[in-house]
Amino acid sequence: MKPLSGHLLLAVGASFWLAGCASVGPPLPPSLELPKAPSDLRAARKGDKVTLTWTVPQRTTDRQRVRYLGKTQICRTAAEMANECGIPVGEAAPDSASAKTGKKPTASFIDTLPSVLERENPKASATYAVEVLNTAGKGAGLSNQVRVPLVPTLPPFGDFLSQATAQGVLISWQCPIASETAAGIRYLFRIYRRGERDPKDVKLSDVDATACAQGAAGQAASTGPATSAQPVTSFLDQTFEWEKTYFYRGAVVSLIDSAGKPPTEVEGEDTPEVKVFAHDVYPPAVPSGLQAVFSGPGQKPFIDLIWAPVPDTELDGYNVYRHEAGGAGVKLNAEPVKTPAFRDAQVSSGKTYFYSVSAVDLRGNESARSEEASENVP
């Protein structure tokens, strides 16, 4: 078999090249440069502020990289579903840096709900969506839609204070004289606490605050004649640790009950944060019920002392004091007595002894001395 000539090889190669060209389809149309609509829009409400966050789109609807990112329209409606944006309630500027770096940053926008919208629709919700546009003002449509309750909120209660006491950290506040409250809404006063080295606040308690939120004038208008019930204006925190610094804040929570569903709640704006150092300078309670009983016939004389225990979780023990008539009291124990009983074996015949006891906590705070008990040694 003869080898192929050079002219024949060239012809065969050309035929393959022409066949390859014939398999290429028509040229693709130019990209519309429409940013893909976000699908992860989220909303969080605090007071009358609604914070929206979403991921900035990095691809167009035809899967190309976004090159011409424009502004983002913020859409809000009182209807259950938005078909189009209509008149935007705000705009978010484009994130030009993200388009260049290829990262997926989040964008955000804070919308302020009109008070008239809340008052007229207290049991309804507002629907939010965003539409991301290109630089020509064109978009691919609305993002996913999120709903936010429109229940009205109240300003924080005034004179929010914290103070360390012997019983715990006392949180107190003042009720308003009168508040504009909507019918069918209950209120809680939510208290938060944060330790000096803690990164986040934790919810400490929800205190019933409907009467407080309505105020004196509001309560009279809604319930008729005044009753003996008084609004709650304080809370005692007993879950802290002594010798630590804490920060407290509070907010009024509005709740609307729904049949068969958990209540809808919205938290109002916070009070100013207050700081307290839980310094324990508070002694335990004074012991009570002290009794002294002599025992000695047939054995070495002694006097037994007993008293009621002091219910203090940080109690370290007791000190026992004794004196004779006209003399100064002397402490009989070198270390705190751990149980509410003590035996005094250093007694002499013919003398009368007077006893008292005190309680001591783990930080060395000592209570006043109890009432005295006396006993005679025959």
Side-chain angles (χ1 to χ4, degrees):
M1 181 176 183
K2 296 183 178 180
L4 295 176
S5 67
H7 292 290
L8 184 57
L9 287 173
L10 182 61
V12 172
S15 65
F16 277 109
W17 180 81
L18 290 174
C21 289
S23 65
V24 176
L28 295 175
S31 172
L32 297 177
E33 291 291 344
L34 299 179
K36 190 174 181 180
S39 59
D40 62 347
L41 178 67
R42 300 173 297 279
R45 182 182 169 188
K46 175 76 171 174
D48 60 355
K49 301 290 192 298
V50 178
T51 301
L52 302 171
T53 56
W54 64 93
T55 299
V56 177
Q58 298 299 294
R59 296 286 178 179
T60 64
T61 53
D62 46 11
R63 299 182 181 180
Q64 303 298 311
R65 184 176 296 279
V66 171
R67 296 181 296 169
Y68 306 106
L69 189 65
K71 62 187 178 183
T72 299
Q73 293 182 333
I74 311 302
C75 318
R76 183 188 71 211
T77 178
E80 291 188 5
M81 183 69 67
N83 297 320
E84 57 182 4
C85 193
I87 300 177
V89 296
E91 294 179 351
D95 187 344
S96 57
S98 65
K100 295 178 181 179
T101 61
K103 295 181 180 179
K104 293 184 178 180
T106 57
S108 64
F109 182 87
I110 299 177
D111 180 43
T112 301
L113 289 170
S115 58
V116 62
L117 182 63
E118 297 176 4
R119 290 196 303 269
E120 293 178 355
N121 306 275
K123 296 185 178 181
S125 297
T127 301
Y128 282 93
V130 298
E131 184 174 13
V132 183
L133 309 178
N134 59 21
T135 52
K138 303 296 183 179
L142 299 180
S143 68
N144 63 301
Q145 301 184 23
V146 292
R147 295 176 61 78
V148 174
L150 288 173
V151 53
T153 57
L154 296 180
F157 295 149
D159 294 332
F160 185 71
L161 302 172
S162 63
Q163 179 184 5
T165 69
Q167 291 74 36
V169 177
L170 181 65
I171 311 299
S172 62
W173 56 91
Q174 291 292 327
C175 296
I177 296 176
S179 297
E180 185 179 353
T181 58
I185 299 180
R186 296 186 295 115
Y187 298 95
L188 300 173
F189 191 54
R190 182 163 292 167
I191 302 171
Y192 291 92
R193 185 186 71 194
R194 173 175 60 86
E196 188 173 30
R197 298 183 179 180
D198 297 333
K200 295 182 179 180
D201 297 349
V202 295
K203 185 176 76 171
L204 187 61
S205 180
D206 281 338
V207 181
D208 187 357
T210 300
C212 186
Q214 291 173 343
Q219 185 180 20
S222 62
T223 63
T227 65
S228 58
Q230 296 296 321
V232 178
T233 58
S234 64
F235 173 80
L236 187 64
D237 178 15
Q238 295 181 307
T239 62
F240 65 98
E241 294 183 36
W242 289 107
E243 310 307 318
K244 288 190 176 182
T245 299
Y246 293 96
F247 297 88
Y248 294 86
R249 63 179 174 88
V252 183
V253 180
S254 303
L255 297 99
I256 290 184
D257 294 315
S258 302
K261 298 180 181 179
T264 300
E265 68 171 54
V266 175
E267 193 174 279
E269 296 296 333
D270 294 329
T271 64
E273 193 175 59
V274 294
K275 177 181 177 180
V276 61
F277 175 54
H279 182 37
D280 186 6
V281 294
Y282 308 100
V286 179
S288 61
L290 177 62
Q291 299 180 44
V293 180
F294 168 75
S295 297
Q299 58 184 323
K300 183 179 179 180
F302 60 86
I303 295 176
D304 275 334
L305 304 175
I306 58 171
W307 58 91
V310 172
D312 191 310
T313 57
E314 297 194 342
L315 184 72
D316 191 31
Y318 306 90
N319 288 332
V320 180
Y321 295 89
R322 184 188 75 181
H323 72 91
E324 296 179 36
V330 176
K331 189 170 72 169
L332 299 183
N333 54 296
E335 298 293 333
V337 177
K338 301 302 182 182
T339 58
F342 183 80
R343 173 168 292 183
D344 180 12
Q346 306 300 317
V347 296
S348 302
S349 298
K351 291 187 175 183
T352 299
Y353 297 97
F354 299 83
Y355 297 92
S356 61
V357 294
S358 65
V360 184
D361 67 16
L362 295 173
R363 275 165 291 280
N365 296 310
E366 183 177 9
S367 74
R369 300 178 189 179
S370 68
E371 293 185 0
E372 289 186 335
S374 62
E375 181 67 315
N376 177 61
V377 180

